[in-house]
Coordinates of all heavy atoms in Angstrom, one line a residue:
K1 N -18.2 -44.4 132.5 CA -18.9 -45.4 133.4 C -17.9 -45.9 134.5 O -18.3 -46.2 135.6 CB -19.3 -46.6 132.5 CG -20.1 -47.6 133.3 CD -20.6 -48.7 132.4 CE -21.4 -49.8 133.1 NZ -21.8 -50.9 132.3
H2 N -16.6 -45.9 134.2 CA -15.7 -46.6 135.1 C -14.6 -45.6 135.6 O -13.5 -46.0 135.9 CB -15.0 -47.7 134.4 CG -16.0 -48.8 134.0 ND1 -16.6 -49.6 134.9 CD2 -16.4 -49.2 132.8 CE1 -17.4 -50.5 134.3 NE2 -17.3 -50.3 133.0
I3 N -14.9 -44.3 135.6 CA -13.9 -43.3 136.1 C -13.3 -43.7 137.4 O -12.1 -43.7 137.6 CB -14.6 -41.9 136.2 CG1 -14.6 -41.3 134.8 CG2 -13.7 -41.0 137.1 CD1 -15.3 -39.9 134.8
P4 N -14.1 -44.1 138.5 CA -13.5 -44.5 139.7 C -12.5 -45.6 139.6 O -11.5 -45.7 140.4 CB -14.7 -44.9 140.6 CG -15.8 -44.2 140.0 CD -15.5 -44.2 138.5
D5 N -12.7 -46.5 138.6 CA -11.8 -47.7 138.5 C -10.5 -47.2 137.8 O -9.4 -47.8 138.0 CB -12.4 -48.8 137.6 CG -13.7 -49.3 138.2 OD1 -13.8 -49.3 139.5 OD2 -14.6 -49.6 137.5
F6 N -10.5 -46.2 136.9 CA -9.4 -45.8 136.2 C -8.5 -44.9 137.0 O -7.3 -44.8 136.7 CB -9.8 -45.0 134.9 CG -10.4 -45.9 133.8 CD1 -11.2 -45.4 132.8 CD2 -10.2 -47.3 133.9 CE1 -11.7 -46.2 131.8 CE2 -10.7 -48.1 132.9 CZ -11.5 -47.5 131.9
I7 N -9.0 -44.1 137.9 CA -8.2 -43.2 138.7 C -8.0 -43.8 140.1 O -8.9 -44.0 140.9 CB -8.9 -41.8 138.9 CG1 -9.2 -41.3 137.5 CG2 -8.1 -40.9 139.7 CD1 -10.0 -39.9 137.5
P8 N -6.7 -44.0 140.4 CA -6.4 -44.6 141.7 C -6.8 -43.7 142.9 O -6.6 -42.5 142.8 CB -4.8 -44.7 141.7 CG -4.5 -44.6 140.3 CD -5.5 -43.8 139.6
L9 N -7.5 -44.2 143.9 CA -8.0 -43.5 145.0 C -7.1 -43.5 146.2 O -7.3 -42.9 147.2 CB -9.4 -44.0 145.4 CG -10.4 -44.0 144.3 CD1 -11.8 -44.5 144.9 CD2 -10.7 -42.6 143.8
N10 N -5.9 -44.2 146.1 CA -5.1 -44.4 147.2 C -3.8 -43.6 147.2 O -2.9 -43.9 147.9 CB -4.7 -45.9 147.3 CG -4.0 -46.4 146.1 OD1 -4.0 -45.7 145.1 ND2 -3.4 -47.6 146.2
I11 N -3.8 -42.6 146.3 CA -2.6 -41.7 146.3 C -2.8 -40.6 147.3 O -3.7 -39.7 147.1 CB -2.5 -41.1 144.9 CG1 -2.2 -42.2 143.9 CG2 -1.3 -40.1 144.9 CD1 -2.1 -41.7 142.4
A12 N -2.1 -40.6 148.4 CA -2.3 -39.7 149.5 C -1.6 -38.4 149.2 O -2.0 -37.3 149.7 CB -1.7 -40.3 150.8
D13 N -0.5 -38.4 148.4 CA 0.3 -37.2 148.2 C 0.2 -36.8 146.7 O -0.2 -37.6 145.9 CB 1.7 -37.4 148.6 CG 2.4 -36.1 149.0 OD1 1.8 -35.1 148.8 OD2 3.5 -36.2 149.5
S14 N 0.7 -35.6 146.4 CA 0.7 -35.1 145.1 C 1.8 -35.8 144.3 O 2.8 -36.3 145.0 CB 0.8 -33.6 145.0 OG 2.0 -33.2 145.7
L15 N 1.8 -35.8 143.0 CA 2.8 -36.4 142.2 C 4.1 -35.6 142.3 O 5.2 -36.2 142.1 CB 2.4 -36.6 140.8 CG 1.2 -37.5 140.6 CD1 0.7 -37.5 139.1 CD2 1.5 -38.9 141.0
L16 N 4.0 -34.3 142.5 CA 5.2 -33.5 142.5 C 5.2 -32.7 143.8 O 4.2 -32.3 144.4 CB 5.1 -32.5 141.3 CG 5.1 -33.1 139.9 CD1 5.0 -32.0 138.8 CD2 6.4 -33.9 139.6
D17 N 6.4 -32.4 144.2 CA 6.7 -31.6 145.4 C 6.8 -30.1 145.0 O 7.6 -29.8 144.1 CB 8.0 -32.1 146.1 CG 8.3 -31.4 147.4 OD1 7.4 -30.6 147.8 OD2 9.3 -31.6 147.9
D18 N 6.0 -29.2 145.6 CA 6.1 -27.8 145.2 C 7.2 -27.1 146.0 O 7.3 -25.8 145.9 CB 4.8 -27.2 145.4 CG 4.2 -27.2 146.8 OD1 5.0 -27.5 147.7 OD2 3.1 -26.8 147.0
E19 N 8.0 -27.7 146.8 CA 9.0 -27.1 147.6 C 10.0 -26.3 146.7 O 10.4 -25.2 147.0 CB 9.7 -28.1 148.5 CG 10.5 -27.4 149.6 CD 9.7 -26.5 150.5 OE1 8.5 -26.9 150.8 OE2 10.2 -25.5 150.9
P20 N 10.5 -26.9 145.6 CA 11.4 -26.2 144.7 C 10.8 -24.9 144.1 O 11.5 -23.9 144.0 CB 11.6 -27.2 143.5 CG 11.4 -28.5 144.1 CD 10.3 -28.3 145.1
L21 N 9.5 -24.9 143.8 CA 8.8 -23.7 143.4 C 8.8 -22.6 144.5 O 9.0 -21.4 144.2 CB 7.4 -24.0 142.9 CG 7.3 -24.7 141.5 CD1 5.8 -25.0 141.3 CD2 7.9 -23.9 140.4
K22 N 8.5 -23.1 145.7 CA 8.5 -22.1 146.8 C 9.9 -21.5 147.0 O 10.0 -20.3 147.3 CB 8.1 -22.9 148.1 CG 6.7 -23.3 148.2 CD 6.4 -24.0 149.5 CE 4.9 -24.4 149.6 NZ 4.6 -25.1 150.8
E23 N 10.9 -22.3 146.9 CA 12.3 -21.8 147.0 C 12.6 -20.8 145.9 O 13.3 -19.7 146.2 CB 13.3 -22.9 147.0 CG 13.2 -23.9 148.2 CD 14.1 -25.1 148.1 OE1 14.8 -25.2 147.1 OE2 14.1 -25.9 149.0
L24 N 12.2 -21.0 144.7 CA 12.4 -20.1 143.6 C 11.7 -18.8 143.8 O 12.2 -17.7 143.6 CB 11.9 -20.7 142.3 CG 12.8 -21.8 141.7 CD1 12.1 -22.5 140.5 CD2 14.1 -21.2 141.2
L25 N 10.4 -18.9 144.4 CA 9.7 -17.6 144.7 C 10.4 -16.8 145.7 O 10.5 -15.6 145.7 CB 8.3 -18.0 145.1 CG 7.3 -18.4 144.1 CD1 5.9 -18.7 144.7 CD2 7.1 -17.3 143.0
E26 N 10.9 -17.5 146.7 CA 11.7 -16.8 147.8 C 12.9 -16.1 147.2 O 13.2 -15.0 147.7 CB 12.1 -17.9 148.9 CG 11.0 -18.4 149.7 CD 10.4 -17.4 150.7 OE1 11.1 -16.4 151.0 OE2 9.3 -17.5 151.1
E27 N 13.6 -16.8 146.3 CA 14.8 -16.2 145.8 C 14.6 -15.1 144.7 O 15.3 -14.1 144.7 CB 15.7 -17.3 145.2 CG 17.0 -16.8 144.7 CD 17.9 -18.0 144.1 OE1 17.5 -19.2 144.2 OE2 19.0 -17.7 143.6
Y28 N 13.6 -15.3 143.8 CA 13.5 -14.4 142.7 C 12.4 -13.4 142.8 O 12.3 -12.5 142.0 CB 13.3 -15.3 141.4 CG 14.6 -15.8 140.8 CD1 15.2 -16.9 141.3 CD2 15.3 -15.0 139.9 CE1 16.4 -17.4 140.8 CE2 16.5 -15.5 139.3 CZ 17.0 -16.6 139.8 OH 18.2 -17.1 139.3
L29 N 11.4 -13.6 143.7 CA 10.3 -12.7 143.8 C 10.5 -11.7 144.9 O 10.6 -12.1 146.1 CB 9.0 -13.5 144.0 CG 7.7 -12.6 144.0 CD1 7.5 -11.8 142.7 CD2 6.5 -13.5 144.3
D30 N 10.6 -10.4 144.5 CA 10.7 -9.4 145.5 C 9.3 -9.0 146.0 O 8.5 -8.3 145.2 CB 11.4 -8.2 144.9 CG 11.7 -7.1 145.9 OD1 10.9 -7.0 146.9 OD2 12.6 -6.3 145.7
V31 N 8.9 -9.5 147.1 CA 7.5 -9.3 147.6 C 7.2 -7.8 147.8 O 6.1 -7.3 147.5 CB 7.3 -10.0 149.0 CG1 5.9 -9.8 149.5 CG2 7.5 -11.5 148.8
K32 N 8.1 -7.0 148.3 CA 7.9 -5.6 148.5 C 7.7 -4.9 147.1 O 6.8 -4.0 147.0 CB 9.0 -4.9 149.2 CG 9.1 -5.3 150.7 CD 10.2 -4.6 151.4 CE 10.3 -5.0 152.9 NZ 11.4 -4.3 153.6
A33 N 8.5 -5.3 146.2 CA 8.4 -4.7 144.8 C 7.0 -5.1 144.2 O 6.4 -4.3 143.5 CB 9.5 -5.1 144.0
L34 N 6.6 -6.3 144.4 CA 5.3 -6.8 143.9 C 4.2 -6.0 144.5 O 3.2 -5.6 143.8 CB 5.2 -8.3 144.1 CG 3.8 -8.9 143.6 CD1 3.7 -8.7 142.1 CD2 3.8 -10.4 144.0
K35 N 4.3 -5.8 145.8 CA 3.2 -5.1 146.5 C 2.9 -3.7 145.9 O 1.8 -3.2 145.8 CB 3.6 -5.0 148.0 CG 2.4 -4.6 148.9 CD 1.4 -5.7 149.1 CE 0.3 -5.3 150.1 NZ -0.7 -6.4 150.2
S36 N 4.0 -3.0 145.6 CA 3.9 -1.7 145.0 C 4.0 -1.6 143.5 O 4.1 -0.6 142.9 CB 5.0 -0.8 145.6 OG 6.3 -1.3 145.3
G37 N 4.0 -2.8 142.9 CA 4.3 -2.9 141.4 C 3.0 -2.8 140.6 O 2.0 -2.3 141.0
L38 N 3.1 -3.4 139.4 CA 2.0 -3.3 138.5 C 0.8 -4.2 139.1 O 1.1 -5.2 139.7 CB 2.4 -3.9 137.1 CG 3.5 -3.2 136.4 CD1 3.8 -3.9 135.1 CD2 3.2 -1.7 136.2
P39 N -0.4 -3.8 138.8 CA -1.5 -4.7 139.3 C -1.4 -6.1 138.6 O -1.2 -6.2 137.4 CB -2.8 -3.9 138.7 CG -2.4 -2.5 138.6 CD -0.9 -2.6 138.2
L40 N -1.5 -7.1 139.5 CA -1.4 -8.5 139.0 C -2.6 -9.3 139.4 O -3.0 -9.3 140.5 CB -0.1 -9.1 139.6 CG 0.0 -10.6 139.3 CD1 0.2 -10.9 137.8 CD2 1.2 -11.2 140.1

């Protein structure tokens, strides 16, 4: 009955920053190898 009251509507940004995950993908994921690798 009160979902809108329980969940704050004024949070403009996400709780976590995904920049660290992006950096890890850049460092550890070989895009060329993935492209020719196992179907994912």
